[in-house]
Amino acid sequence: MNKCSESLVVCDVAEDLVEKLRKFRFRKETNNAAIIMKIDKDKRLVVLDEELEGISPDELKDELPERQPRYPFFLVYKYQHDDGRVSYPLCFIFSSPVGCKPEQQMMYAGSKNKLVQTAELTKVFEIRNTEDLTEEWLREK
């Protein structure tokens, strides 16, 4: 079979992850938290990689593998507006580093929309270099 003719693989989201994301959205704590998700290639499922509490964007980037795509989902991120208001936006970030395998990139890219829909996310950003993930970068977005 010609590699180019393979169809785009779209992975489902693991049931327990869907439940975790739902609970996470409505949690009461106001500390920063993140869920990092990855694709289980054999099961063709998006699964939980790790869950992190009290983490800054700068610390989060250290948790991401340099050569593999991931879906870090920054759940509660305290954002101080210029006028003094505070909000806690949910930020979904698709990390697709330069240098990762093309088939991995395609699998992650193909499954991103399904994950975004399943978790009902609105703020979706993509980074190609994990070094770009900083507090400043998030604020600009």
Side-chain angles (χ1 to χ4, degrees):
M1 182 176 177
N2 182 337
K3 260 224 175 303
C4 295
S5 66
E6 283 180 32
S7 62
L8 191 62
V9 176
V10 177
C11 301
D12 278 319
V13 183
E15 203 49 54
D16 57 341
L17 179 59
V18 172
E19 192 51 41
K20 182 172 283 294
L21 290 170
R22 197 171 292 134
K23 281 188 183 136
F24 229 69
R25 286 181 63 157
F26 299 109
R27 69 199 265 283
K28 303 284 181 265
E29 297 88 342
T30 54
N31 64 323
N32 285 352
I35 287 181
I36 299 177
M37 296 162 280
K38 65 180 180 184
I39 288 180
D40 180 325
K41 240 173 36 189
D42 302 328
K43 294 182 184 163
R44 296 201 170 191
L45 274 180
V46 178
V47 297
L48 179 69
D49 187 16
E50 55 183 323
E51 201 174 327
L52 306 157
E53 289 280 339
I55 188 166
S56 73
D58 294 302
E59 291 166 329
L60 178 59
K61 77 175 169 204
D62 294 336
E63 296 294 323
L64 300 175
E66 272 177 39
R67 297 255 179 266
Q68 291 179 332
R70 284 291 183 274
Y71 299 123
F73 173 34
F74 218 172
L75 187 66
V76 175
Y77 169 64
K78 186 175 179 180
Y79 180 74
Q80 183 96 36
H81 297 267
D82 295 336
D83 62 7
R85 291 176 305 121
V86 174
S87 63
Y88 298 93
L90 301 173
C91 303
F92 174 77
I93 302 159
F94 170 40
S95 162
S96 177
V98 177
C100 59
K101 295 183 188 138
E103 72 265 18
Q104 252 188 335
Q105 263 181 335
M106 278 175 54
M107 200 180 262
Y108 273 79
S111 304
K112 181 181 76 175
N113 290 343
K114 174 123 183 166
L115 182 56
V116 167
Q117 277 178 320
T118 306
E120 297 169 36
L121 303 167
T122 51
K123 292 182 174 40
V124 180
F125 313 116
E126 184 170 343
I127 56 172
R128 300 288 291 168
N129 182 347
T130 52
E131 286 305 303
D132 294 342
L133 183 57
T134 61
E135 187 109 16
E136 201 175 306
W137 179 84
L138 256 185
R139 282 184 186 282
E140 283 169 13
K141 298 292 182 191

